[in-house]
Amino acid sequence: MGGGMGGMGGMAGMNPAMIQQMMQNPMVQQMMQQMSQNPALLQQMVQSNPMLQQMSQRDPMFAQMMQNPQMLQAMFNPQTLQAIMQLQQAMGGVGGAGG
């Protein structure tokens, strides 16, 4: 298990193993659950984070997603994140394909 860079398109450029480790932290799980239930809090976080602001400016689709409460709830749903992680790991061995 493990293995390499896992693709540059990971969540915020993080290593998938690191994300998986974070996801198992009860404090992180609680925070994610609160965010998924409070889209306004999440939007405020995006607006106050320079990295997320830059991503929104560069990628109109990302900006649109970050303003959609249903999308934000889905993104911070622990089951959804686990599924994304599994997909990234499955595709991690295949180099080159990028969005």
Coordinates of all heavy atoms in Angstrom, one line a residue:
M1 N 0.8 -1.2 0.0 CA 0.0 0.0 0.0 C 0.9 1.2 0.0 O 2.0 1.2 0.4 CB -0.8 0.0 1.3 CG -1.9 -0.9 1.2 SD -3.1 -0.9 2.4 CE -4.0 -2.2 1.7
G2 N 0.3 2.3 -0.3 CA 1.2 3.5 -0.3 C 1.6 3.8 -1.6 O 1.0 3.8 -2.5
G3 N 2.7 4.2 -1.8 CA 3.2 4.3 -3.2 C 3.1 5.6 -3.8 O 2.1 6.2 -4.0
G4 N 4.2 6.2 -3.8 CA 4.5 7.3 -4.7 C 3.7 8.6 -4.4 O 3.2 8.8 -3.4
M5 N 3.6 9.3 -5.5 CA 3.0 10.6 -5.4 C 1.5 10.6 -5.5 O 0.8 11.6 -5.2 CB 3.5 11.5 -6.6 CG 5.0 11.7 -6.5 SD 5.4 12.5 -4.9 CE 6.0 14.1 -5.4
G6 N 0.9 9.6 -6.0 CA -0.6 9.5 -6.0 C -1.3 10.5 -6.9 O -2.5 10.6 -6.7
G7 N -0.6 11.2 -7.7 CA -1.3 12.1 -8.6 C -1.3 13.5 -8.0 O -1.5 13.7 -6.8
M8 N -1.0 14.5 -8.8 CA -1.0 15.9 -8.3 C -2.3 16.5 -8.1 O -2.5 17.5 -7.4 CB -0.3 16.8 -9.4 CG 1.2 16.4 -9.5 SD 2.0 17.5 -10.7 CE 2.7 18.6 -9.6
G9 N -3.4 15.9 -8.6 CA -4.7 16.4 -8.5 C -5.4 16.1 -7.2 O -6.6 16.2 -7.0
G10 N -4.6 15.6 -6.2 CA -5.2 15.2 -4.9 C -5.8 16.4 -4.2 O -5.6 17.6 -4.6
M11 N -6.5 16.2 -3.2 CA -7.2 17.3 -2.4 C -6.1 18.2 -1.9 O -5.3 17.9 -1.1 CB -8.0 16.7 -1.3 CG -9.1 15.9 -1.7 SD -10.0 15.3 -0.2 CE -11.3 14.4 -1.0
A12 N -6.2 19.4 -2.4 CA -5.3 20.5 -2.0 C -3.8 20.1 -2.2 O -3.0 20.6 -1.5 CB -5.6 20.9 -0.6
G13 N -3.6 19.2 -3.1 CA -2.2 18.8 -3.4 C -1.6 17.9 -2.3 O -0.4 17.7 -2.3
M14 N -2.5 17.3 -1.5 CA -2.0 16.5 -0.4 C -1.8 15.0 -0.8 O -2.5 14.6 -1.7 CB -2.9 16.6 0.8 CG -3.0 17.9 1.5 SD -4.2 18.0 2.7 CE -3.6 17.0 4.0
N15 N -0.9 14.4 -0.1 CA -0.7 12.9 -0.3 C -2.0 12.2 0.1 O -2.5 12.4 1.2 CB 0.5 12.6 0.5 CG 0.9 11.1 0.4 OD1 0.0 10.3 0.4 ND2 2.1 10.8 0.4
P16 N -2.5 11.3 -0.7 CA -3.7 10.5 -0.4 C -3.6 9.8 1.0 O -4.5 9.7 1.7 CB -3.8 9.5 -1.5 CG -3.2 10.1 -2.7 CD -2.0 10.9 -2.1
A17 N -2.4 9.2 1.3 CA -2.2 8.6 2.6 C -2.4 9.5 3.7 O -2.9 9.2 4.8 CB -0.8 7.9 2.6
M18 N -1.9 10.8 3.5 CA -2.0 11.8 4.6 C -3.5 12.2 4.8 O -4.0 12.3 5.9 CB -1.2 13.0 4.1 CG -0.7 13.9 5.2 SD 0.6 15.0 4.5 CE -0.3 16.5 4.7
I19 N -4.2 12.3 3.7 CA -5.7 12.6 3.7 C -6.4 11.5 4.5 O -7.2 11.7 5.3 CB -6.3 12.8 2.3 CG1 -5.6 14.1 1.7 CG2 -7.8 13.0 2.4 CD1 -6.0 14.3 0.3
Q20 N -6.1 10.2 4.1 CA -6.7 9.1 4.7 C -6.5 9.1 6.2 O -7.4 8.8 7.0 CB -6.2 7.8 4.1 CG -7.2 6.7 4.1 CD -6.9 5.6 3.2 OE1 -5.7 5.4 2.9 NE2 -7.9 4.9 2.7
Q21 N -5.3 9.4 6.6 CA -4.9 9.5 8.0 C -5.7 10.6 8.7 O -6.3 10.4 9.8 CB -3.4 9.7 8.2 CG -2.9 9.5 9.6 CD -1.4 9.6 9.6 OE1 -0.8 10.3 8.7 NE2 -0.8 9.0 10.6
M22 N -5.8 11.7 8.1 CA -6.6 12.8 8.6 C -8.1 12.4 8.8 O -8.7 12.8 9.8 CB -6.5 14.1 7.7 CG -5.3 14.9 7.9 SD -5.2 16.2 6.7 CE -6.8 17.0 6.8
M23 N -8.6 11.7 7.8 CA -10.0 11.3 7.8 C -10.3 10.4 9.0 O -11.5 10.3 9.4 CB -10.4 10.6 6.5 CG -10.2 11.4 5.3 SD -11.6 12.1 4.6 CE -12.7 10.8 4.6
Q24 N -9.3 9.7 9.5 CA -9.6 8.8 10.7 C -9.5 9.6 12.0 O -9.8 9.0 13.0 CB -8.6 7.7 10.6 CG -8.9 6.8 9.4 CD -7.8 5.7 9.2 OE1 -6.9 5.6 10.0 NE2 -7.9 5.0 8.2
N25 N -9.1 10.8 12.0 CA -9.0 11.6 13.2 C -10.4 12.1 13.6 O -11.1 12.8 12.8 CB -8.1 12.9 12.9 CG -8.0 13.7 14.1 OD1 -8.8 13.9 15.0 ND2 -6.8 14.4 14.2
P26 N -10.9 11.7 14.8 CA -12.2 12.1 15.2 C -12.5 13.6 15.2 O -13.6 14.0 14.8 CB -12.3 11.6 16.7 CG -11.3 10.6 16.8 CD -10.2 10.9 15.8
M27 N -11.5 14.4 15.5 CA -11.7 15.9 15.4 C -12.0 16.3 14.0 O -12.8 17.2 13.7 CB -10.5 16.6 16.0 CG -10.4 16.5 17.5 SD -8.9 17.3 18.2 CE -9.1 19.0 17.6
V28 N -11.2 15.8 13.0 CA -11.4 16.1 11.6 C -12.8 15.7 11.2 O -13.5 16.4 10.5 CB -10.3 15.5 10.7 CG1 -10.6 15.7 9.2 CG2 -9.0 16.1 11.1
Q29 N -13.2 14.5 11.6 CA -14.5 13.9 11.2 C -15.6 14.8 11.7 O -16.6 15.1 11.0 CB -14.7 12.5 11.7 CG -13.9 11.5 11.0 CD -14.0 10.1 11.7 OE1 -14.5 9.9 12.7 NE2 -13.4 9.1 11.0
Q30 N -15.5 15.3 13.0 CA -16.5 16.2 13.5 C -16.5 17.5 12.8 O -17.6 18.0 12.5 CB -16.2 16.4 15.0 CG -17.2 17.3 15.7 CD -16.9 17.5 17.2 OE1 -15.8 17.2 17.6 NE2 -17.8 18.1 17.9
M31 N -15.4 18.1 12.5 CA -15.3 19.3 11.7 C -16.0 19.2 10.4 O -16.7 20.0 9.9 CB -13.9 19.8 11.6 CG -13.7 21.1 10.8 SD -12.0 21.4 10.4 CE -11.7 20.2 9.0
M32 N -15.7 18.1 9.7 CA -16.2 17.9 8.3 C -17.8 17.7 8.4 O -18.5 18.2 7.6 CB -15.6 16.6 7.7 CG -14.2 16.9 7.2 SD -13.3 15.4 6.6 CE -14.6 14.3 6.1
Q33 N -18.2 17.1 9.5 CA -19.7 16.9 9.6 C -20.3 18.3 9.9 O -21.4 18.6 9.3 CB -20.0 16.0 10.8 CG -21.4 15.4 10.7 CD -21.4 14.0 11.3 OE1 -20.6 13.6 12.1 NE2 -22.3 13.2 10.7
Q34 N -19.7 19.1 10.7 CA -20.2 20.4 11.0 C -20.3 21.2 9.7 O -21.2 21.9 9.4 CB -19.4 21.1 12.0 CG -19.6 20.6 13.4 CD -18.7 21.2 14.4 OE1 -17.7 21.9 14.1 NE2 -19.0 20.9 15.7
M35 N -19.2 21.1 8.9 CA -19.2 21.9 7.6 C -20.2 21.4 6.6 O -20.8 22.2 5.9 CB -17.8 21.8 7.0 CG -16.8 22.7 7.7 SD -15.4 23.0 6.6 CE -14.1 22.3 7.6
S36 N -20.4 20.1 6.6 CA -21.4 19.6 5.6 C -22.8 20.0 6.0 O -23.7 20.1 5.2 CB -21.3 18.1 5.5 OG -21.8 17.4 6.7
Q37 N -23.0 20.3 7.3 CA -24.3 20.7 7.8 C -24.5 22.2 7.8 O -25.6 22.7 8.0 CB -24.6 20.2 9.2 CG -24.7 18.7 9.2 CD -24.6 18.1 10.6 OE1 -24.5 18.8 11.6 NE2 -24.7 16.8 10.7
N38 N -23.4 23.0 7.6 CA -23.4 24.4 7.6 C -22.7 25.0 6.4 O -21.5 25.4 6.5 CB -22.9 24.9 8.9 CG -23.1 26.4 9.1 OD1 -23.5 27.1 8.2 ND2 -22.7 26.9 10.3
P39 N -23.3 25.0 5.2 CA -22.7 25.5 4.0 C -22.2 27.0 4.2 O -21.2 27.3 3.6 CB -23.8 25.4 2.9 CG -24.8 24.5 3.5 CD -24.7 24.6 5.0
A40 N -22.9 27.8 4.9 CA -22.4 29.2 5.1 C -21.1 29.3 5.8 O -20.2 30.1 5.4 CB -23.5 30.0 5.9
L41 N -20.8 28.4 6.7 CA -19.5 28.3 7.4 C -18.4 28.0 6.4 O -17.4 28.5 6.3 CB -19.5 27.3 8.5 CG -18.2 27.0 9.2 CD1 -17.7 28.2 10.0 CD2 -18.4 25.8 10.2
L42 N -18.8 27.0 5.5 CA -17.8 26.6 4.5 C -17.5 27.7 3.5 O -16.4 27.9 3.1 CB -18.4 25.3 3.8 CG -17.4 24.5 3.0 CD1 -16.1 24.1 3.8 CD2 -18.0 23.3 2.5
Q43 N -18.5 28.4 3.1 CA -18.3 29.5 2.1 C -17.5 30.6 2.8 O -16.6 31.2 2.1 CB -19.7 30.0 1.7 CG -20.4 29.1 0.7 CD -21.8 29.5 0.3 OE1 -22.4 30.3 1.1 NE2 -22.2 29.1 -0.8
Q44 N -17.7 30.8 4.0 CA -16.9 31.8 4.7 C -15.4 31.4 4.8 O -14.5 32.2 4.6 CB -17.4 32.0 6.2 CG -16.7 33.1 6.9 CD -17.3 33.2 8.3 OE1 -18.2 32.5 8.7 NE2 -16.8 34.2 9.1
M45 N -15.2 30.1 5.0 CA -13.9 29.6 5.1 C -13.2 29.7 3.7 O -12.0 30.1 3.6 CB -13.9 28.1 5.4 CG -12.5 27.5 5.7 SD -12.6 25.7 6.1 CE -12.8 25.0 4.4
V46 N -13.9 29.4 2.6 CA -13.4 29.6 1.3 C -13.0 31.0 1.0 O -11.9 31.3 0.5 CB -14.4 29.1 0.2 CG1 -13.9 29.5 -1.2 CG2 -14.6 27.6 0.3
Q47 N -13.8 32.0 1.4 CA -13.6 33.4 1.2 C -12.4 33.9 2.0 O -11.8 34.9 1.6 CB -14.8 34.2 1.5 CG -16.0 33.9 0.5 CD -17.3 34.5 0.9 OE1 -17.4 35.0 2.0 NE2 -18.3 34.4 0.0
S48 N -12.1 33.3 3.1 CA -11.0 33.8 4.0 C -9.7 33.0 3.7 O -8.7 33.3 4.3 CB -11.4 33.7 5.4 OG -11.5 32.3 5.8
N49 N -9.7 32.0 2.8 CA -8.5 31.3 2.5 C -7.9 31.7 1.2 O -8.5 31.4 0.1 CB -8.9 29.8 2.5 CG -7.7 28.9 2.3 OD1 -6.8 29.2 1.4 ND2 -7.7 27.8 3.0
P50 N -6.8 32.3 1.2 CA -6.2 32.8 -0.1 C -6.0 31.7 -1.1 O -6.2 31.9 -2.3 CB -4.8 33.4 0.4 CG -4.9 33.6 1.8 CD -6.0 32.6 2.4
M51 N -5.6 30.5 -0.7 CA -5.4 29.4 -1.6 C -6.7 29.0 -2.3 O -6.7 28.9 -3.6 CB -4.8 28.2 -1.0 CG -4.4 27.1 -1.9 SD -3.8 25.6 -1.2 CE -5.3 24.8 -0.6
L52 N -7.8 29.0 -1.6 CA -9.1 28.6 -2.2 C -9.6 29.8 -3.0 O -10.2 29.5 -4.1 CB -10.1 28.3 -1.1 CG -9.8 27.0 -0.3 CD1 -10.8 26.7 0.8 CD2 -9.8 25.8 -1.3
Q53 N -9.3 31.0 -2.6 CA -9.7 32.1 -3.5 C -8.9 32.1 -4.8 O -9.6 32.3 -5.9 CB -9.3 33.5 -2.8 CG -10.3 33.8 -1.7 CD -9.9 35.2 -1.0 OE1 -8.8 35.6 -1.0 NE2 -10.9 35.8 -0.5
Q54 N -7.7 31.8 -4.8 CA -6.9 31.7 -6.0 C -7.5 30.6 -6.9 O -7.6 30.7 -8.1 CB -5.4 31.3 -5.7 CG -4.6 32.5 -5.5 CD -3.1 32.2 -5.4 OE1 -2.7 31.0 -5.3 NE2 -2.2 33.1 -5.4
M55 N -7.8 29.4 -6.3 CA -8.3 28.3 -7.1 C -9.7 28.7 -7.7 O -10.0 28.4 -8.9 CB -8.5 27.1 -6.2 CG -7.2 26.4 -5.8 SD -7.4 25.1 -4.6 CE -8.3 23.9 -5.6
S56 N -10.5 29.5 -7.0 CA -11.7 30.0 -7.5 C -11.6 30.9 -8.7 O -12.3 30.9 -9.6 CB -12.5 30.7 -6.4 OG -12.9 29.8 -5.4
Q57 N -10.5 31.8 -8.6 CA -10.3 32.7 -9.7 C -9.7 32.0 -10.9 O -10.1 32.4 -12.0 CB -9.3 33.8 -9.2 CG -9.9 34.7 -8.1 CD -8.9 35.6 -7.5 OE1 -7.7 35.5 -7.7 NE2 -9.3 36.5 -6.6
R58 N -9.0 31.0 -10.7 CA -8.4 30.3 -11.9 C -9.4 29.3 -12.5 O -9.2 29.1 -13.7 CB -7.1 29.5 -11.5 CG -5.9 30.4 -11.3 CD -4.7 29.5 -11.1 NE -5.0 28.7 -9.9 CZ -4.0 28.3 -9.0 NH1 -2.8 28.5 -9.3 NH2 -4.3 27.6 -8.0
D59 N -10.3 28.8 -11.7 CA -11.1 27.7 -12.2 C -12.6 28.1 -12.0 O -13.1 27.9 -10.9 CB -10.8 26.4 -11.6 CG -11.5 25.2 -12.1 OD1 -12.5 25.4 -12.9 OD2 -11.1 24.1 -11.8
P60 N -13.3 28.6 -13.0 CA -14.7 29.0 -12.8 C -15.6 27.9 -12.3 O -16.5 28.1 -11.6 CB -15.1 29.5 -14.2 CG -13.9 29.7 -14.9 CD -12.8 28.9 -14.3
M61 N -15.3 26.6 -12.8 CA -16.1 25.5 -12.3 C -15.9 25.3 -10.8 O -16.9 25.0 -10.1 CB -15.6 24.3 -13.1 CG -16.6 23.1 -13.0 SD -16.2 21.9 -14.3 CE -16.2 20.4 -13.3
F62 N -14.7 25.4 -10.3 CA -14.4 25.3 -8.9 C -15.1 26.3 -8.1 O -15.8 26.1 -7.1 CB -12.9 25.3 -8.7 CG -12.5 25.3 -7.2 CD1 -12.5 24.1 -6.5 CD2 -12.2 26.4 -6.5 CE1 -12.1 24.0 -5.2 CE2 -11.9 26.4 -5.1 CZ -11.9 25.1 -4.5
A63 N -15.1 27.6 -8.6 CA -15.8 28.7 -8.0 C -17.3 28.4 -7.9 O -17.9 28.6 -6.9 CB -15.5 30.0 -8.7
Q64 N -17.8 27.9 -9.0 CA -19.3 27.5 -9.0 C -19.6 26.4 -8.0 O -20.6 26.5 -7.2 CB -19.6 27.1 -10.4 CG -21.1 27.4 -10.8 CD -21.3 27.1 -12.2 OE1 -20.5 26.4 -12.9 NE2 -22.4 27.6 -12.8
M65 N -18.7 25.4 -7.9 CA -18.9 24.4 -6.9 C -18.9 24.9 -5.5 O -19.7 24.5 -4.7 CB -17.8 23.3 -7.1 CG -18.0 22.4 -8.3 SD -16.7 21.3 -8.7 CE -16.0 20.9 -7.1
M66 N -18.0 25.8 -5.2 CA -17.8 26.3 -3.9 C -19.0 27.2 -3.5 O -19.1 27.6 -2.3 CB -16.5 27.1 -3.7 CG -15.3 26.2 -4.0 SD -15.3 24.6 -3.0 CE -14.6 25.1 -1.5
Q67 N -19.8 27.6 -4.4 CA -21.0 28.4 -4.1 C -22.3 27.6 -4.1 O -23.3 28.2 -3.8 CB -21.1 29.6 -5.1 CG -20.0 30.6 -4.9 CD -20.0 31.7 -6.0 OE1 -20.9 31.7 -6.8 NE2 -19.0 32.5 -6.0
N68 N -22.2 26.4 -4.3 CA -23.3 25.5 -4.4 C -23.4 24.7 -3.1 O -22.6 23.8 -2.8 CB -23.2 24.5 -5.6 CG -24.4 23.6 -5.7 OD1 -25.1 23.3 -4.7 ND2 -24.5 23.0 -6.9
P69 N -24.4 25.1 -2.2 CA -24.5 24.4 -0.9 C -24.6 22.9 -1.0 O -24.0 22.2 -0.2 CB -25.8 25.0 -0.3 CG -26.0 26.3 -1.0 CD -25.4 26.1 -2.4
Q70 N -25.3 22.4 -2.0 CA -25.5 20.9 -2.1 C -24.1 20.3 -2.4 O -23.8 19.2 -1.9 CB -26.5 20.6 -3.1 CG -27.9 21.0 -2.7 CD -28.9 20.9 -3.8 OE1 -28.6 21.1 -4.9 NE2 -30.2 20.6 -3.4
M71 N -23.4 20.9 -3.3 CA -22.1 20.4 -3.7 C -21.1 20.4 -2.5 O -20.4 19.4 -2.2 CB -21.5 21.2 -4.8 CG -20.1 20.8 -5.3 SD -20.1 19.0 -5.8 CE -20.4 19.3 -7.5
L72 N -21.1 21.5 -1.7 CA -20.3 21.6 -0.5 C -20.6 20.5 0.5 O -19.8 19.8 1.1 CB -20.4 22.9 0.1 CG -19.9 24.1 -0.7 CD1 -20.2 25.4 -0.1 CD2 -18.4 24.0 -0.9
Q73 N -21.9 20.2 0.7 CA -22.3 19.2 1.6 C -21.8 17.8 1.1 O -21.3 17.0 1.9 CB -23.9 19.2 1.7 CG -24.4 20.3 2.6 CD -25.9 20.3 2.7 OE1 -26.6 19.8 1.8 NE2 -26.4 20.9 3.7
A74 N -22.0 17.6 -0.2 CA -21.5 16.3 -0.7 C -20.0 16.2 -0.6 O -19.4 15.1 -0.2 CB -21.9 16.2 -2.2
M75 N -19.2 17.3 -0.9 CA -17.8 17.2 -0.8 C -17.3 16.9 0.6 O -16.2 16.3 0.8 CB -17.2 18.6 -1.3 CG -17.2 18.7 -2.8 SD -16.7 20.4 -3.3 CE -15.3 20.8 -2.3
F76 N -18.0 17.4 1.6 CA -17.5 17.2 3.0 C -18.2 16.1 3.7 O -18.1 15.9 4.9 CB -17.6 18.5 3.8 CG -16.5 19.4 3.5 CD1 -16.5 20.3 2.4 CD2 -15.3 19.3 4.2 CE1 -15.5 21.1 2.1 CE2 -14.2 20.2 3.9 CZ -14.3 21.1 2.9
N77 N -19.0 15.3 2.9 CA -19.6 14.1 3.4 C -18.5 13.0 3.6 O -17.8 12.7 2.6 CB -20.7 13.6 2.5 CG -21.4 12.3 3.0 OD1 -20.7 11.4 3.4 ND2 -22.7 12.3 2.9
P78 N -18.3 12.4 4.8 CA -17.2 11.5 4.9 C -17.2 10.3 3.9 O -16.2 9.8 3.4 CB -17.4 11.0 6.4 CG -18.0 12.1 7.1 CD -18.9 12.7 6.0
Q79 N -18.5 9.8 3.6 CA -18.6 8.7 2.7 C -18.1 9.1 1.3 O -17.5 8.4 0.6 CB -20.0 8.2 2.6 CG -20.4 7.4 3.9 CD -21.0 8.3 5.0 OE1 -21.3 9.4 4.8 NE2 -21.2 7.7 6.1
T80 N -18.5 10.3 0.9 CA -18.1 10.8 -0.4 C -16.6 10.9 -0.5 O -15.9 10.5 -1.5 CB -18.7 12.2 -0.7 OG1 -20.1 12.1 -0.6 CG2 -18.3 12.7 -2.1
L81 N -16.0 11.5 0.6 CA -14.5 11.6 0.6 C -13.8 10.3 0.6 O -12.8 10.1 -0.1 CB -14.1 12.4 1.8 CG -14.5 13.9 1.8 CD1 -14.2 14.6 3.1 CD2 -13.7 14.6 0.6
Q82 N -14.4 9.3 1.3 CA -13.8 8.0 1.2 C -13.8 7.4 -0.2 O -12.8 6.8 -0.7 CB -14.5 7.0 2.2 CG -14.2 7.2 3.6 CD -12.8 6.8 4.0 OE1 -12.1 6.2 3.3 NE2 -12.4 7.2 5.2
A83 N -14.9 7.6 -0.9 CA -15.1 7.1 -2.3 C -14.1 7.8 -3.2 O -13.5 7.2 -4.0 CB -16.5 7.3 -2.8
I84 N -13.9 9.1 -3.0 CA -12.9 9.9 -3.8 C -11.5 9.3 -3.6 O -10.7 9.1 -4.5 CB -13.0 11.4 -3.5 CG1 -14.3 12.0 -4.0 CG2 -11.8 12.1 -4.1 CD1 -14.6 13.4 -3.5
M85 N -11.2 9.1 -2.3 CA -9.9 8.6 -2.0 C -9.7 7.2 -2.6 O -8.6 7.0 -3.2 CB -9.8 8.4 -0.4 CG -9.7 9.7 0.3 SD -8.3 10.7 -0.2 CE -6.9 9.6 0.2
Q86 N -10.7 6.3 -2.6 CA -10.5 5.0 -3.2 C -10.3 5.2 -4.7 O -9.5 4.5 -5.3 CB -11.7 4.2 -2.9 CG -11.8 3.7 -1.5 CD -13.1 3.0 -1.1 OE1 -14.0 3.0 -1.9 NE2 -13.1 2.4 0.1
L87 N -11.0 6.1 -5.4 CA -10.8 6.3 -6.8 C -9.4 6.8 -7.1 O -8.8 6.4 -8.0 CB -11.9 7.3 -7.3 CG -13.2 6.8 -7.6 CD1 -14.2 7.9 -7.9 CD2 -13.2 5.8 -8.8
Q88 N -9.0 7.8 -6.3 CA -7.6 8.4 -6.5 C -6.6 7.3 -6.3 O -5.6 7.2 -7.1 CB -7.3 9.5 -5.5 CG -8.0 10.8 -5.9 CD -7.5 11.9 -5.0 OE1 -7.2 11.8 -3.9 NE2 -7.6 13.1 -5.6
Q89 N -6.7 6.4 -5.3 CA -5.8 5.3 -5.1 C -5.8 4.4 -6.3 O -4.8 3.9 -6.8 CB -6.0 4.6 -3.8 CG -5.6 5.5 -2.6 CD -5.9 4.8 -1.3 OE1 -6.7 3.8 -1.2 NE2 -5.3 5.3 -0.3
A90 N -7.0 4.1 -6.8 CA -7.1 3.1 -7.9 C -6.5 3.7 -9.2 O -5.8 3.0 -9.9 CB -8.6 2.8 -8.2
M91 N -6.6 5.0 -9.3 CA -6.0 5.7 -10.5 C -4.6 6.1 -10.3 O -3.9 6.5 -11.3 CB -6.9 6.9 -10.9 CG -8.3 6.4 -11.3 SD -9.4 7.8 -11.6 CE -8.7 8.5 -13.1
G92 N -4.1 6.1 -9.1 CA -2.8 6.6 -8.7 C -1.7 5.9 -9.5 O -0.7 6.5 -9.8
G93 N -1.9 4.6 -9.7 CA -0.8 3.9 -10.4 C -0.7 4.2 -11.8 O 0.3 3.9 -12.5
V94 N -1.8 4.8 -12.4 CA -1.8 5.1 -13.8 C -1.2 6.6 -14.0 O -1.9 7.5 -13.7 CB -3.2 5.1 -14.4 CG1 -3.2 5.4 -15.9 CG2 -3.8 3.7 -14.1
G95 N 0.0 6.7 -14.4 CA 0.6 8.0 -14.5 C 0.1 8.8 -15.7 O -0.4 8.2 -16.7
G96 N 0.1 10.1 -15.6 CA -0.1 10.9 -16.8 C -1.5 11.5 -16.9 O -1.6 12.7 -17.3
A97 N -2.6 10.8 -16.6 CA -3.9 11.3 -16.9 C -4.2 12.4 -15.9 O -4.1 12.3 -14.7 CB -4.9 10.2 -16.7
G98 N -4.5 13.6 -16.4 CA -4.8 14.7 -15.5 C -6.0 15.5 -16.0 O -6.3 15.5 -17.2
G99 N -6.6 16.2 -15.1 CA -7.9 16.9 -15.5 C -7.5 18.2 -16.0 O -8.1 19.1 -16.4

